[in-house]
Amino acid sequence: MKYLLTGGAGYIGSHTAVEMINAGHEIVIVDNLSNSDEIVIDRIEEITGKRLVFYPFDVANKEQLTEVFAQNQIEGVIHFAGLKAVGESVQIPIEYYRNNLDTTLTLLEVMREYSVNKFVFSSSATVYGEENKPPYLETMKKGSCSNPYGWTKSMIEQILTDAANADPELSVVLLRYFNPIGAHESGLIGEDPQGIPNNLMPFVSQVAVGKLPELTVFGDDYDTPDGTCRRDYIHVVDLAVGHVKAIEYASKNKGTEIFNLGTGVPYSVLEIVNTFRDVNNIPVPFKIGDRREGDLQDSWADATKAREILGWEATLTLEDMCRDSWNWQSKNPTGYR
């Protein structure tokens, strides 16, 4: 039996592939490479010593996806595939709704046809919205999302919940991520955003390597110790291990469960910049800019439920995150390309 990772050549998907293989699972990756590179498959093999099955398909293409299920004994699915840039989603919302919802619906249809009933979804803390205050608990009512990307996550959570309610055999785990950063300690795989990075750590890394001239910190007048926004940053390897725990949980349980995956500790933008500088002994030029529309002051998890039920908790430190991010970027100054 094999587990299917949709979007498995991407940042979080590739690290999860490594941890799944390390845990003894066989995996299949389907990825249309719109935000990844086929070289990732070779690098996963270099890390693990295992060659995985890879299809350069679009998950929304039912004919191609059916071929994947027909050729492999799929036991369960971890669903990463989807467009993910917040700013871009505001500019092209139709493409985001079409892509992210269609991939999920097609996947559910093909799973039903092949009696596959284990589903782990790559969701986001953005579904808590502005109405809730941190630390966020899974029992909180979902809030209003500030962008189409967030709404696709919220809608897909509802689709999966409804599907599990209608099918007593279906097991759904919704993983609400906080802010994944870092890279595999080998430096072979990491975050490789296309164009100007949307997230803080790859921006910091690209400034440090000289690819970008300086970082803009969006606002220093928030009600936090140093005036900058605070987020719950989690090492991508810890996050990947959380997916292993989640699919193993889904194999033994039915219905829908939600888990936060975070450290429970908020770090500010300047804490990230200063820690990166100190750990790696490299300057990170930055300037203070205006606040960015839509940014929350604070966001962090209560991850108690994941610890108590999944037996999972984050173990890697902020220093580890900064060190591994620089190891990846310095070895791959222009990314995979």
Side-chain angles (χ1 to χ4, degrees), residues 292-313:
R292 184 171 56 182
E293 186 177 357
D295 274 349
L296 297 177
Q297 174 177 290
D298 288 308
S299 173
W300 70 89
D302 183 320
T304 303
K305 183 179 178 182
R307 183 179 70 248
E308 293 180 346
I309 296 179
L310 297 182
W312 172 92
E313 62 182 329

Side-chain angles (χ1 to χ4, degrees), residues 60 93-104 152:
I94 294 172
E95 285 79 0
Y96 267 69
Y97 287 115
R98 169 66 74 185
N99 182 83
N100 293 5
L101 297 183
D102 275 6
T103 54
T104 306
T152 66

Side-chain angles (χ1 to χ4, degrees), residues 27 31 58 92 137 168 243 257 333:
I27 62 169
D31 197 306
D58 189 328
I92 52 169
L137 287 162
H243 289 77
E257 283 288 354

Side-chain angles (χ1 to χ4, degrees), residues 24-304:
H25 300 297
E26 289 188 73
I27 62 169
V28 175
I29 286 179
V30 175
D31 197 306
N32 67 0
L33 304 176
S34 63
N35 193 39
S36 54
D37 196 291
E38 193 165 355
I39 194 174
V40 173
I41 305 303
D42 297 327
R43 295 194 178 187
I44 292 171
E45 181 180 9
E46 189 173 346
I47 292 168
T48 64
K50 302 283 187 180
R51 188 67 183 179
L52 51 81
V53 179
F54 170 64
Y55 295 86
F57 291 170
D58 189 328
V59 179
N61 185 312
K62 188 172 183 179
E63 182 178 348
Q64 290 182 328
L65 191 62
T66 299
E67 182 181 335
V68 175
F69 278 75
Q71 293 177 359
N72 301 275
Q73 288 186 300
I74 303 297
E75 173 78 11
V77 174
I78 305 179
H79 183 35
F80 298 102
L83 299 176
K84 62 176 186 176
V86 170
E88 184 182 63
S89 77
V90 176
Q91 298 167 351
I92 52 169
I94 294 172
E95 285 79 0
Y96 267 69
Y97 287 115
R98 169 66 74 185
N99 182 83
N100 293 5
L101 297 183
D102 275 6
T103 54
T104 306
L105 292 168
T106 301
L107 188 54
L108 284 169
E109 288 175 349
V110 178
M111 286 176 63
R112 182 173 57 189
E113 290 170 11
Y114 282 84
S115 300
V116 177
N117 53 25
K118 303 169 186 66
F119 196 116
V120 173
F121 176 55
S122 166
S123 191
S124 169
T126 190
V127 303
Y128 288 112
E130 298 181 6
E131 295 89 337
N132 294 302
K133 301 302 177 186
Y136 298 124
L137 287 162
E138 294 90 344
T139 52
M140 289 176 170
K141 186 176 181 180
K142 287 194 294 185
S144 299
C145 299
S146 59
N147 55 77
Y149 161 77
W151 279 117
T152 66
K153 293 295 188 184
S154 184
M155 290 176 179
I156 291 169
E157 282 197 4
Q158 189 62 52
I159 289 168
L160 292 170
T161 301
D162 291 343
N165 288 340
D167 181 358
E169 293 303 308
L170 184 60
S171 175
V172 169
V173 178
L174 308 175
L175 296 181
R176 292 177 178 171
Y177 306 166
F178 281 71
N179 293 72
I181 59 176
H184 192 268
E185 63 180 0
S186 66
L188 287 169
I189 56 174
E191 188 169 10
D192 181 25
Q194 297 182 7
I196 301 298
N198 289 288
N199 299 324
L200 176 61
M201 184 56 82
F203 210 123
V204 169
S205 298
Q206 290 188 17
V207 169
V209 83
K211 188 175 180 181
L212 296 172
E214 66 179 358
L215 170 73
T216 298
V217 176
F218 297 109
D220 65 349
D221 58 349
Y222 289 94
D223 186 19
T224 61
D226 63 19
T228 63
C229 294
R230 297 187 296 178
R231 296 288 181 269
D232 189 335
Y233 294 94
I234 176 175
H235 199 296
V236 67
V237 173
D238 277 333
L239 186 63
V241 172
H243 289 77
V244 178
K245 298 286 189 181
I247 197 68
E248 291 172 351
Y249 175 87
S251 299
K252 301 173 184 176
N253 297 274
K254 304 298 181 187
T256 304
E257 283 288 354
I258 303 168
F259 296 99
N260 289 334
L261 295 185
T263 66
V265 179
Y267 294 105
S268 73
V269 174
L270 289 182
E271 283 182 283
I272 295 292
V273 173
N274 293 335
T275 303
F276 187 98
R277 177 199 63 204
D278 295 344
V279 166
N280 299 307
N281 193 29
I282 190 165
V284 182
F286 70 89
K287 66 179 180 181
I288 303 298
D290 295 332
R291 290 190 181 194
R292 184 171 56 182
E293 186 177 357
D295 274 349
L296 297 177
Q297 174 177 290
D298 288 308
S299 173
W300 70 89
D302 183 320
T304 303

